Amino acid sequence: MTDHPHPDVLGLRASLPAPGWTVVDAARDQRFTGELRAHTDRHDEFRIYFDRGEVYCAERATDPTLGRRLVDAGALNTAQLEYGMLRIGDIEHLGRLFDRVPSINRDAVFVLNQLMTEETVRSAAARSITDVDATPYRHHPSGMHRWSTNDPSGSPAPWGEMPELALPAPDPDARPVLPHDAAPVAPSPATDPTADRPTPDATASSTPSSPSSSQGGFEDAPTRPDTASHDPLTHDLLLDDVVEWNEPSVLVGAAAASVDDRLGRRRSNPSLGTADWVDELGPDGVADAPARPARHARLPPVAVPPVEQFEVIWPSGETVDVNAPDEAASDRAERDDRDGRDARLRSAPLATPPATGASGSNGRTPHDNSSTDRADDRADDATHDADESASVDIDDAAPSAGVDPLAPPTRSADADRHDPDATPDPTSDDALALRRAVATIDTGSLAVRRRLASPGDAGPTPPGRLIVGREHPTAWRTSEQRPRGSVFDAQPAATDEPDDVVEPPSSEQHRRQGALRRLIGSLRRDEPSA
Amino acid sequence: MTPDVRADAPDVAPDGSPFAPPAAHERHPDVHDTRERDHQVVKLLVTGPFNAGKTTLIAAISHTGVVDTDVATTGDEARTKPRTTVAMDFGTYSITDDEGRVELLMFGTPGQARFAFMTDVMKGDVDAVISVVDGSDESTHADAGRAMRSLIADLHAPLVVAVNRCDDADRARRVARRLGALSSEAVLPCQLIRPDASRDVVVAALVAALERLERPDSWRPPLERVIDALHRSAAVAA
């Protein structure tokens, strides 16, 4: 606030009282930027905010804050508002709302703000304005005038400009896609130099070439891929290079040359039909999944190194490579006995886990998570074979039907085979530390995930990922203690305060309510006049 | 055209001028006027197309004589009814008890299109709007809906739709939806020729006004009006 504000910034005082629309028009004509407070003959106050003559926000002095209004209208939830807002004293600054909470629906916020602004301006325009206070360059305290400038993607100003769609209208003579038309066949990525899939650019200004416009139309139009038979597993692999596309990808913003090449191939291939490029675009500008599931290329087996390739450092400082093949089991046992109780560790030679790949005996595909988990499970089980504590082996190295995963563990056949004389000492500190070191290797084991999900009550909590440190106060004993969810999970639109909080009505309002009740009662009692 | 003023005219002030209590916003809170504090005025606006039943409704409730501004109908409308309202109908219903006096003022707008400007004159601090429509004459529904939506968009008042000459509640709701009424607004099928039907309509309007008073939010109505206007348009289009 200046020391000596201009008494009549907009030059309207001489014409007051005046209809509200004349005041608003005067501010627009002068391309006013700032806050305009209009007082009506009924002692109401409207606050209208301009930016170069354009109204971007309007509210009454009695209105709640903008954030609260957006929450009540459903554009935000309370969690989003709390995280997106910066409290500066009594001011709730929302200038960085979309930066702090990207999940907020910008369009909903803009539309609601536009609706509220228009309604308030319309209400003020019809009123008689008796006094006007104009403060140049004072923007809305919420900082909403910064929304348009902070949006890197070029979102519109909050006062109503909607972004133009990146997708242009299809060619007028484009033939609609018929349901019986066959889907086009895409060239192989290996042979197609333009097969690299460009990322659809929302801000791309280049107009994608319409197949029909550039090539003069096609014979038949392909059908949209059958989403009902869409294999979700295939969909997850569409971005994998090993998946062979059998459909050309016509994307927004793709180079015209690449599009022409693909279209040329399509034209030369009689099996391909005329394509309406709009139909090939998915909701995000990416081509939909092909109608036929993608064929998985066979990958060479990936050798997974054994988990237990580690070096044991004994308290005496001696290091032993437990995976050394030439170390006899007897020598190991002798050393264990020599170093005492703390050095006992049963590290049975492990069977190399089967290579993951299609050539595996199980015939699973490279991206079959269950095979990877099974290999990891075998590795994990081999680690725990020496530990004959009450740890739970969910996936046994030799899976067999009827094995109760929660049953007390028994000596596995592998342990007996490799060291029939082993006497486990599961409670030793070194053994526990070793297991922790092993378990910190995150292999994404399905078994571990299962244990996390259902630790079971059969015995003490198994070591490993579940326990960061027994002495650590924040260790999660069970998976239930692990925090879940996100602070931005859908929150009910209801505010913290109860909705039906009734403020004590004023005396006038109380009398009016009483008068209405008395009228209603009287009418119901009275006999109506004929 | 001279309005036919009946003998039992409405209350008048001692100086002979028609008694017009000050509006709510004109009453100063610091004025210690016992009569003013105990005197409440409730205004209802009764609107609707030509020959819908507005005058009948007001006449059935009014304690005082209705200021009848009907004259002989001319033109094609004479075949429908011999007399028509050319200005407005005005009726009152008042009660006086230990807590004070409550006066219900009912203003009936003319139904003819050429007198539509009177509705703008009578728009003001109304507590509720009653839209009366003839359920048996669908030719008037389009214009009635247009006028009703325009009126509600300007007024911040609850709406009650009375579908006259209709006994079916479902049909009345369909008619009201075609007019643009929301599902949350009261719709009453009625036969206004019966006095008890008029009473029920007025009671419904008063209940709607009471519910609006008891809503604590002060800022929600403008946004709700915007949303309501969108819903009305969608309902009419549907």
PDB file of all heavy atoms in Angstrom, chain A residues 60-94:
ATOM      1  N   ARG A  60     -16.272 -12.685  -3.860  1.00  0.00           N
ATOM      2  CA  ARG A  60     -16.863 -11.795  -2.890  1.00  0.00           C
ATOM      3  C   ARG A  60     -15.951 -11.732  -1.666  1.00  0.00           C
ATOM      4  O   ARG A  60     -15.168 -12.646  -1.405  1.00  0.00           O
ATOM      5  CB  ARG A  60     -18.240 -12.300  -2.477  1.00  0.00           C
ATOM      6  CG  ARG A  60     -19.262 -12.252  -3.591  1.00  0.00           C
ATOM      7  CD  ARG A  60     -20.543 -12.969  -3.191  1.00  0.00           C
ATOM      8  NE  ARG A  60     -21.566 -12.842  -4.195  1.00  0.00           N
ATOM      9  CZ  ARG A  60     -21.609 -13.576  -5.305  1.00  0.00           C
ATOM     10  NH1 ARG A  60     -20.673 -14.459  -5.536  1.00  0.00           N
ATOM     11  NH2 ARG A  60     -22.583 -13.407  -6.177  1.00  0.00           N
ATOM     12  N   ALA A  61     -16.100 -10.679  -0.932  1.00  0.00           N
ATOM     13  CA  ALA A  61     -15.274 -10.532   0.259  1.00  0.00           C
ATOM     14  C   ALA A  61     -15.599 -11.603   1.293  1.00  0.00           C
ATOM     15  O   ALA A  61     -14.765 -11.934   2.124  1.00  0.00           O
ATOM     16  CB  ALA A  61     -15.473  -9.139   0.862  1.00  0.00           C
ATOM     17  N   THR A  62     -16.800 -12.124   1.236  1.00  0.00           N
ATOM     18  CA  THR A  62     -17.209 -13.135   2.208  1.00  0.00           C
ATOM     19  C   THR A  62     -16.918 -14.555   1.748  1.00  0.00           C
ATOM     20  O   THR A  62     -17.211 -15.509   2.482  1.00  0.00           O
ATOM     21  CB  THR A  62     -18.716 -13.010   2.483  1.00  0.00           C
ATOM     22  OG1 THR A  62     -19.429 -13.115   1.233  1.00  0.00           O
ATOM     23  CG2 THR A  62     -19.029 -11.674   3.134  1.00  0.00           C
ATOM     24  N   ASP A  63     -16.374 -14.715   0.579  1.00  0.00           N
ATOM     25  CA  ASP A  63     -16.119 -16.065   0.074  1.00  0.00           C
ATOM     26  C   ASP A  63     -14.967 -16.707   0.826  1.00  0.00           C
ATOM     27  O   ASP A  63     -14.039 -16.025   1.272  1.00  0.00           O
ATOM     28  CB  ASP A  63     -15.792 -16.023  -1.416  1.00  0.00           C
ATOM     29  CG  ASP A  63     -17.002 -15.707  -2.258  1.00  0.00           C
ATOM     30  OD1 ASP A  63     -18.123 -15.721  -1.696  1.00  0.00           O
ATOM     31  OD2 ASP A  63     -16.847 -15.447  -3.456  1.00  0.00           O
ATOM     32  N   PRO A  64     -14.992 -18.021   0.949  1.00  0.00           N
ATOM     33  CA  PRO A  64     -13.821 -18.705   1.512  1.00  0.00           C
ATOM     34  C   PRO A  64     -12.622 -18.574   0.570  1.00  0.00           C
ATOM     35  O   PRO A  64     -12.726 -18.028  -0.517  1.00  0.00           O
ATOM     36  CB  PRO A  64     -14.275 -20.173   1.611  1.00  0.00           C
ATOM     37  CG  PRO A  64     -15.747 -20.154   1.481  1.00  0.00           C
ATOM     38  CD  PRO A  64     -16.079 -18.936   0.664  1.00  0.00           C
ATOM     39  N   THR A  65     -11.525 -19.101   1.027  1.00  0.00           N
ATOM     40  CA  THR A  65     -10.314 -19.019   0.209  1.00  0.00           C
ATOM     41  C   THR A  65     -10.480 -19.840  -1.065  1.00  0.00           C
ATOM     42  O   THR A  65     -11.329 -20.740  -1.162  1.00  0.00           O
ATOM     43  CB  THR A  65      -9.107 -19.533   0.991  1.00  0.00           C
ATOM     44  OG1 THR A  65      -9.354 -20.903   1.369  1.00  0.00           O
ATOM     45  CG2 THR A  65      -8.877 -18.701   2.233  1.00  0.00           C
ATOM     46  N   LEU A  66      -9.653 -19.521  -2.030  1.00  0.00           N
ATOM     47  CA  LEU A  66      -9.744 -20.221  -3.302  1.00  0.00           C
ATOM     48  C   LEU A  66      -9.495 -21.707  -3.135  1.00  0.00           C
ATOM     49  O   LEU A  66     -10.185 -22.535  -3.737  1.00  0.00           O
ATOM     50  CB  LEU A  66      -8.724 -19.623  -4.281  1.00  0.00           C
ATOM     51  CG  LEU A  66      -8.633 -20.298  -5.650  1.00  0.00           C
ATOM     52  CD1 LEU A  66      -9.940 -20.166  -6.409  1.00  0.00           C
ATOM     53  CD2 LEU A  66      -7.494 -19.711  -6.464  1.00  0.00           C
ATOM     54  N   GLY A  67      -8.517 -22.051  -2.329  1.00  0.00           N
ATOM     55  CA  GLY A  67      -8.239 -23.463  -2.115  1.00  0.00           C
ATOM     56  C   GLY A  67      -9.422 -24.198  -1.522  1.00  0.00           C
ATOM     57  O   GLY A  67      -9.773 -25.303  -1.947  1.00  0.00           O
ATOM     58  N   ARG A  68     -10.048 -23.594  -0.562  1.00  0.00           N
ATOM     59  CA  ARG A  68     -11.211 -24.237   0.058  1.00  0.00           C
ATOM     60  C   ARG A  68     -12.353 -24.385  -0.949  1.00  0.00           C
ATOM     61  O   ARG A  68     -13.042 -25.407  -0.972  1.00  0.00           O
ATOM     62  CB  ARG A  68     -11.647 -23.394   1.259  1.00  0.00           C
ATOM     63  CG  ARG A  68     -12.843 -23.925   2.014  1.00  0.00           C
ATOM     64  CD  ARG A  68     -12.650 -25.355   2.420  1.00  0.00           C
ATOM     65  NE  ARG A  68     -11.389 -25.550   3.114  1.00  0.00           N
ATOM     66  CZ  ARG A  68     -10.816 -26.746   3.279  1.00  0.00           C
ATOM     67  NH1 ARG A  68     -11.396 -27.813   2.800  1.00  0.00           N
ATOM     68  NH2 ARG A  68      -9.675 -26.857   3.944  1.00  0.00           N
ATOM     69  N   ARG A  69     -12.538 -23.401  -1.759  1.00  0.00           N
ATOM     70  CA  ARG A  69     -13.596 -23.503  -2.768  1.00  0.00           C
ATOM     71  C   ARG A  69     -13.298 -24.609  -3.767  1.00  0.00           C
ATOM     72  O   ARG A  69     -14.202 -25.333  -4.202  1.00  0.00           O
ATOM     73  CB  ARG A  69     -13.746 -22.170  -3.492  1.00  0.00           C
ATOM     74  CG  ARG A  69     -14.579 -21.144  -2.720  1.00  0.00           C
ATOM     75  CD  ARG A  69     -14.688 -19.847  -3.472  1.00  0.00           C
ATOM     76  NE  ARG A  69     -13.495 -19.035  -3.335  1.00  0.00           N
ATOM     77  CZ  ARG A  69     -13.143 -18.064  -4.171  1.00  0.00           C
ATOM     78  NH1 ARG A  69     -13.873 -17.790  -5.202  1.00  0.00           N
ATOM     79  NH2 ARG A  69     -12.048 -17.356  -3.956  1.00  0.00           N
ATOM     80  N   LEU A  70     -12.039 -24.738  -4.153  1.00  0.00           N
ATOM     81  CA  LEU A  70     -11.698 -25.800  -5.090  1.00  0.00           C
ATOM     82  C   LEU A  70     -11.886 -27.177  -4.457  1.00  0.00           C
ATOM     83  O   LEU A  70     -12.302 -28.125  -5.131  1.00  0.00           O
ATOM     84  CB  LEU A  70     -10.252 -25.627  -5.552  1.00  0.00           C
ATOM     85  CG  LEU A  70      -9.966 -24.410  -6.438  1.00  0.00           C
ATOM     86  CD1 LEU A  70      -8.491 -24.283  -6.717  1.00  0.00           C
ATOM     87  CD2 LEU A  70     -10.742 -24.504  -7.741  1.00  0.00           C
ATOM     88  N   VAL A  71     -11.583 -27.286  -3.194  1.00  0.00           N
ATOM     89  CA  VAL A  71     -11.796 -28.576  -2.513  1.00  0.00           C
ATOM     90  C   VAL A  71     -13.283 -28.881  -2.425  1.00  0.00           C
ATOM     91  O   VAL A  71     -13.720 -30.003  -2.694  1.00  0.00           O
ATOM     92  CB  VAL A  71     -11.155 -28.554  -1.122  1.00  0.00           C
ATOM     93  CG1 VAL A  71     -11.567 -29.792  -0.325  1.00  0.00           C
ATOM     94  CG2 VAL A  71      -9.634 -28.501  -1.229  1.00  0.00           C
ATOM     95  N   ASP A  72     -14.065 -27.903  -2.061  1.00  0.00           N
ATOM     96  CA  ASP A  72     -15.497 -28.141  -1.942  1.00  0.00           C
ATOM     97  C   ASP A  72     -16.130 -28.457  -3.285  1.00  0.00           C
ATOM     98  O   ASP A  72     -17.125 -29.190  -3.357  1.00  0.00           O
ATOM     99  CB  ASP A  72     -16.180 -26.915  -1.325  1.00  0.00           C
ATOM    100  CG  ASP A  72     -15.799 -26.753   0.141  1.00  0.00           C
ATOM    101  OD1 ASP A  72     -15.281 -27.721   0.729  1.00  0.00           O
ATOM    102  OD2 ASP A  72     -16.005 -25.661   0.689  1.00  0.00           O
ATOM    103  N   ALA A  73     -15.564 -27.898  -4.337  1.00  0.00           N
ATOM    104  CA  ALA A  73     -16.117 -28.161  -5.673  1.00  0.00           C
ATOM    105  C   ALA A  73     -15.633 -29.478  -6.241  1.00  0.00           C
ATOM    106  O   ALA A  73     -16.156 -29.932  -7.263  1.00  0.00           O
ATOM    107  CB  ALA A  73     -15.751 -27.015  -6.621  1.00  0.00           C
ATOM    108  N   GLY A  74     -14.635 -30.090  -5.588  1.00  0.00           N
ATOM    109  CA  GLY A  74     -14.186 -31.398  -6.034  1.00  0.00           C
ATOM    110  C   GLY A  74     -13.000 -31.394  -6.964  1.00  0.00           C
ATOM    111  O   GLY A  74     -12.588 -32.446  -7.446  1.00  0.00           O
ATOM    112  N   ALA A  75     -12.414 -30.227  -7.221  1.00  0.00           N
ATOM    113  CA  ALA A  75     -11.251 -30.210  -8.112  1.00  0.00           C
ATOM    114  C   ALA A  75      -9.994 -30.684  -7.400  1.00  0.00           C
ATOM    115  O   ALA A  75      -9.051 -31.134  -8.038  1.00  0.00           O
ATOM    116  CB  ALA A  75     -11.032 -28.795  -8.653  1.00  0.00           C
ATOM    117  N   LEU A  76      -9.962 -30.546  -6.108  1.00  0.00           N
ATOM    118  CA  LEU A  76      -8.820 -30.983  -5.307  1.00  0.00           C
ATOM    119  C   LEU A  76      -9.347 -31.780  -4.131  1.00  0.00           C
ATOM    120  O   LEU A  76     -10.527 -31.706  -3.793  1.00  0.00           O
ATOM    121  CB  LEU A  76      -8.032 -29.787  -4.760  1.00  0.00           C
ATOM    122  CG  LEU A  76      -7.517 -28.723  -5.712  1.00  0.00           C
ATOM    123  CD1 LEU A  76      -6.886 -27.592  -4.909  1.00  0.00           C
ATOM    124  CD2 LEU A  76      -6.493 -29.322  -6.657  1.00  0.00           C
ATOM    125  N   ASN A  77      -8.434 -32.527  -3.535  1.00  0.00           N
ATOM    126  CA  ASN A  77      -8.771 -33.084  -2.246  1.00  0.00           C
ATOM    127  C   ASN A  77      -7.919 -32.386  -1.189  1.00  0.00           C
ATOM    128  O   ASN A  77      -6.987 -31.638  -1.495  1.00  0.00           O
ATOM    129  CB  ASN A  77      -8.578 -34.603  -2.218  1.00  0.00           C
ATOM    130  CG  ASN A  77      -7.162 -35.003  -2.594  1.00  0.00           C
ATOM    131  OD1 ASN A  77      -6.212 -34.430  -2.092  1.00  0.00           O
ATOM    132  ND2 ASN A  77      -7.029 -35.981  -3.469  1.00  0.00           N
ATOM    133  N   THR A  78      -8.234 -32.654   0.040  1.00  0.00           N
ATOM    134  CA  THR A  78      -7.564 -31.916   1.109  1.00  0.00           C
ATOM    135  C   THR A  78      -6.068 -32.198   1.133  1.00  0.00           C
ATOM    136  O   THR A  78      -5.264 -31.304   1.409  1.00  0.00           O
ATOM    137  CB  THR A  78      -8.186 -32.285   2.456  1.00  0.00           C
ATOM    138  OG1 THR A  78      -8.178 -33.711   2.598  1.00  0.00           O
ATOM    139  CG2 THR A  78      -9.620 -31.791   2.533  1.00  0.00           C
ATOM    140  N   ALA A  79      -5.704 -33.427   0.808  1.00  0.00           N
ATOM    141  CA  ALA A  79      -4.274 -33.744   0.815  1.00  0.00           C
ATOM    142  C   ALA A  79      -3.541 -32.976  -0.279  1.00  0.00           C
ATOM    143  O   ALA A  79      -2.449 -32.435  -0.058  1.00  0.00           O
ATOM    144  CB  ALA A  79      -4.077 -35.246   0.621  1.00  0.00           C
ATOM    145  N   GLN A  80      -4.114 -32.901  -1.445  1.00  0.00           N
ATOM    146  CA  GLN A  80      -3.479 -32.156  -2.520  1.00  0.00           C
ATOM    147  C   GLN A  80      -3.366 -30.688  -2.179  1.00  0.00           C
ATOM    148  O   GLN A  80      -2.365 -30.031  -2.476  1.00  0.00           O
ATOM    149  CB  GLN A  80      -4.278 -32.340  -3.815  1.00  0.00           C
ATOM    150  CG  GLN A  80      -4.171 -33.730  -4.401  1.00  0.00           C
ATOM    151  CD  GLN A  80      -5.066 -33.905  -5.596  1.00  0.00           C
ATOM    152  OE1 GLN A  80      -6.126 -33.286  -5.694  1.00  0.00           O
ATOM    153  NE2 GLN A  80      -4.674 -34.758  -6.519  1.00  0.00           N
ATOM    154  N   LEU A  81      -4.390 -30.174  -1.532  1.00  0.00           N
ATOM    155  CA  LEU A  81      -4.342 -28.765  -1.162  1.00  0.00           C
ATOM    156  C   LEU A  81      -3.255 -28.522  -0.125  1.00  0.00           C
ATOM    157  O   LEU A  81      -2.501 -27.552  -0.215  1.00  0.00           O
ATOM    158  CB  LEU A  81      -5.700 -28.320  -0.622  1.00  0.00           C
ATOM    159  CG  LEU A  81      -5.780 -26.860  -0.154  1.00  0.00           C
ATOM    160  CD1 LEU A  81      -5.564 -25.921  -1.318  1.00  0.00           C
ATOM    161  CD2 LEU A  81      -7.129 -26.588   0.504  1.00  0.00           C
ATOM    162  N   GLU A  82      -3.155 -29.399   0.826  1.00  0.00           N
ATOM    163  CA  GLU A  82      -2.159 -29.198   1.865  1.00  0.00           C
ATOM    164  C   GLU A  82      -0.740 -29.264   1.311  1.00  0.00           C
ATOM    165  O   GLU A  82       0.127 -28.487   1.702  1.00  0.00           O
ATOM    166  CB  GLU A  82      -2.347 -30.248   2.962  1.00  0.00           C
ATOM    167  CG  GLU A  82      -3.560 -30.007   3.848  1.00  0.00           C
ATOM    168  CD  GLU A  82      -3.472 -28.695   4.588  1.00  0.00           C
ATOM    169  OE1 GLU A  82      -2.385 -28.367   5.077  1.00  0.00           O
ATOM    170  OE2 GLU A  82      -4.503 -27.976   4.654  1.00  0.00           O
ATOM    171  N   TYR A  83      -0.533 -30.188   0.409  1.00  0.00           N
ATOM    172  CA  TYR A  83       0.816 -30.327  -0.141  1.00  0.00           C
ATOM    173  C   TYR A  83       1.122 -29.293  -1.214  1.00  0.00           C
ATOM    174  O   TYR A  83       2.276 -28.956  -1.445  1.00  0.00           O
ATOM    175  CB  TYR A  83       0.991 -31.735  -0.717  1.00  0.00           C
ATOM    176  CG  TYR A  83       1.348 -32.751   0.336  1.00  0.00           C
ATOM    177  CD1 TYR A  83       0.357 -33.354   1.101  1.00  0.00           C
ATOM    178  CD2 TYR A  83       2.671 -33.097   0.580  1.00  0.00           C
ATOM    179  CE1 TYR A  83       0.668 -34.276   2.067  1.00  0.00           C
ATOM    180  CE2 TYR A  83       2.984 -34.026   1.557  1.00  0.00           C
ATOM    181  CZ  TYR A  83       1.987 -34.618   2.290  1.00  0.00           C
ATOM    182  OH  TYR A  83       2.296 -35.526   3.260  1.00  0.00           O
ATOM    183  N   GLY A  84       0.117 -28.827  -1.861  1.00  0.00           N
ATOM    184  CA  GLY A  84       0.373 -27.871  -2.928  1.00  0.00           C
ATOM    185  C   GLY A  84       0.363 -26.433  -2.481  1.00  0.00           C
ATOM    186  O   GLY A  84       0.710 -25.538  -3.245  1.00  0.00           O
ATOM    187  N   MET A  85      -0.023 -26.216  -1.268  1.00  0.00           N
ATOM    188  CA  MET A  85      -0.180 -24.852  -0.783  1.00  0.00           C
ATOM    189  C   MET A  85       1.013 -24.454   0.061  1.00  0.00           C
ATOM    190  O   MET A  85       1.591 -25.261   0.770  1.00  0.00           O
ATOM    191  CB  MET A  85      -1.464 -24.798   0.052  1.00  0.00           C
ATOM    192  CG  MET A  85      -1.727 -23.487   0.742  1.00  0.00           C
ATOM    193  SD  MET A  85      -3.265 -23.571   1.664  1.00  0.00           S
ATOM    194  CE  MET A  85      -2.900 -24.881   2.810  1.00  0.00           C
ATOM    195  N   LEU A  86       1.351 -23.197  -0.001  1.00  0.00           N
ATOM    196  CA  LEU A  86       2.382 -22.626   0.852  1.00  0.00           C
ATOM    197  C   LEU A  86       1.711 -21.609   1.766  1.00  0.00           C
ATOM    198  O   LEU A  86       1.099 -20.651   1.294  1.00  0.00           O
ATOM    199  CB  LEU A  86       3.453 -21.939   0.010  1.00  0.00           C
ATOM    200  CG  LEU A  86       4.399 -22.845  -0.783  1.00  0.00           C
ATOM    201  CD1 LEU A  86       5.290 -22.018  -1.683  1.00  0.00           C
ATOM    202  CD2 LEU A  86       5.236 -23.700   0.154  1.00  0.00           C
ATOM    203  N   ARG A  87       1.822 -21.870   3.016  1.00  0.00           N
ATOM    204  CA  ARG A  87       1.217 -20.943   3.982  1.00  0.00           C
ATOM    205  C   ARG A  87       2.207 -19.838   4.299  1.00  0.00           C
ATOM    206  O   ARG A  87       3.286 -20.087   4.820  1.00  0.00           O
ATOM    207  CB  ARG A  87       0.818 -21.688   5.248  1.00  0.00           C
ATOM    208  CG  ARG A  87      -0.414 -22.541   5.085  1.00  0.00           C
ATOM    209  CD  ARG A  87      -0.939 -23.022   6.425  1.00  0.00           C
ATOM    210  NE  ARG A  87      -2.066 -23.902   6.251  1.00  0.00           N
ATOM    211  CZ  ARG A  87      -3.309 -23.492   6.076  1.00  0.00           C
ATOM    212  NH1 ARG A  87      -3.577 -22.210   6.048  1.00  0.00           N
ATOM    213  NH2 ARG A  87      -4.292 -24.362   5.929  1.00  0.00           N
ATOM    214  N   ILE A  88       1.822 -18.650   3.992  1.00  0.00           N
ATOM    215  CA  ILE A  88       2.634 -17.483   4.314  1.00  0.00           C
ATOM    216  C   ILE A  88       1.781 -16.608   5.208  1.00  0.00           C
ATOM    217  O   ILE A  88       0.989 -15.795   4.743  1.00  0.00           O
ATOM    218  CB  ILE A  88       3.060 -16.735   3.027  1.00  0.00           C
ATOM    219  CG1 ILE A  88       3.755 -17.699   2.073  1.00  0.00           C
ATOM    220  CG2 ILE A  88       3.963 -15.566   3.378  1.00  0.00           C
ATOM    221  CD1 ILE A  88       4.084 -17.095   0.732  1.00  0.00           C
ATOM    222  N   GLY A  89       1.933 -16.801   6.477  1.00  0.00           N
ATOM    223  CA  GLY A  89       1.078 -16.100   7.414  1.00  0.00           C
ATOM    224  C   GLY A  89      -0.346 -16.598   7.271  1.00  0.00           C
ATOM    225  O   GLY A  89      -0.629 -17.770   7.416  1.00  0.00           O
ATOM    226  N   ASP A  90      -1.232 -15.690   6.966  1.00  0.00           N
ATOM    227  CA  ASP A  90      -2.621 -16.064   6.775  1.00  0.00           C
ATOM    228  C   ASP A  90      -2.941 -16.341   5.317  1.00  0.00           C
ATOM    229  O   ASP A  90      -4.077 -16.640   4.985  1.00  0.00           O
ATOM    230  CB  ASP A  90      -3.540 -14.937   7.277  1.00  0.00           C
ATOM    231  CG  ASP A  90      -3.414 -14.750   8.783  1.00  0.00           C
ATOM    232  OD1 ASP A  90      -3.051 -15.731   9.465  1.00  0.00           O
ATOM    233  OD2 ASP A  90      -3.655 -13.629   9.264  1.00  0.00           O
ATOM    234  N   ILE A  91      -1.961 -16.206   4.488  1.00  0.00           N
ATOM    235  CA  ILE A  91      -2.197 -16.350   3.051  1.00  0.00           C
ATOM    236  C   ILE A  91      -1.908 -17.791   2.650  1.00  0.00           C
ATOM    237  O   ILE A  91      -0.894 -18.360   3.042  1.00  0.00           O
ATOM    238  CB  ILE A  91      -1.298 -15.378   2.242  1.00  0.00           C
ATOM    239  CG1 ILE A  91      -1.639 -13.936   2.596  1.00  0.00           C
ATOM    240  CG2 ILE A  91      -1.485 -15.611   0.744  1.00  0.00           C
ATOM    241  CD1 ILE A  91      -0.739 -12.934   1.948  1.00  0.00           C
ATOM    242  N   GLU A  92      -2.807 -18.343   1.898  1.00  0.00           N
ATOM    243  CA  GLU A  92      -2.620 -19.672   1.329  1.00  0.00           C
ATOM    244  C   GLU A  92      -2.173 -19.490  -0.123  1.00  0.00           C
ATOM    245  O   GLU A  92      -2.973 -19.218  -1.012  1.00  0.00           O
ATOM    246  CB  GLU A  92      -3.912 -20.473   1.401  1.00  0.00           C
ATOM    247  CG  GLU A  92      -4.384 -20.736   2.823  1.00  0.00           C
ATOM    248  CD  GLU A  92      -5.690 -21.518   2.849  1.00  0.00           C
ATOM    249  OE1 GLU A  92      -6.278 -21.732   1.773  1.00  0.00           O
ATOM    250  OE2 GLU A  92      -6.121 -21.895   3.944  1.00  0.00           O
ATOM    251  N   HIS A  93      -0.897 -19.621  -0.345  1.00  0.00           N
ATOM    252  CA  HIS A  93      -0.339 -19.363  -1.671  1.00  0.00           C
ATOM    253  C   HIS A  93      -0.427 -20.627  -2.518  1.00  0.00           C
ATOM    254  O   HIS A  93       0.093 -21.667  -2.143  1.00  0.00           O
ATOM    255  CB  HIS A  93       1.112 -18.896  -1.547  1.00  0.00           C
ATOM    256  CG  HIS A  93       1.608 -18.178  -2.772  1.00  0.00           C
ATOM    257  ND1 HIS A  93       2.136 -18.850  -3.846  1.00  0.00           N
ATOM    258  CD2 HIS A  93       1.622 -16.868  -3.105  1.00  0.00           C
ATOM    259  CE1 HIS A  93       2.468 -17.969  -4.780  1.00  0.00           C
ATOM    260  NE2 HIS A  93       2.178 -16.768  -4.345  1.00  0.00           N
ATOM    261  N   LEU A  94      -1.065 -20.483  -3.661  1.00  0.00           N
ATOM    262  CA  LEU A  94      -1.253 -21.622  -4.560  1.00  0.00           C
ATOM    263  C   LEU A  94      -0.496 -21.423  -5.869  1.00  0.00           C
ATOM    264  O   LEU A  94      -0.801 -22.087  -6.857  1.00  0.00           O
ATOM    265  CB  LEU A  94      -2.747 -21.801  -4.873  1.00  0.00           C
ATOM    266  CG  LEU A  94      -3.656 -22.040  -3.676  1.00  0.00           C
ATOM    267  CD1 LEU A  94      -5.107 -22.110  -4.134  1.00  0.00           C
ATOM    268  CD2 LEU A  94      -3.289 -23.316  -2.956  1.00  0.00           C
TER     269      LEU A  94
END
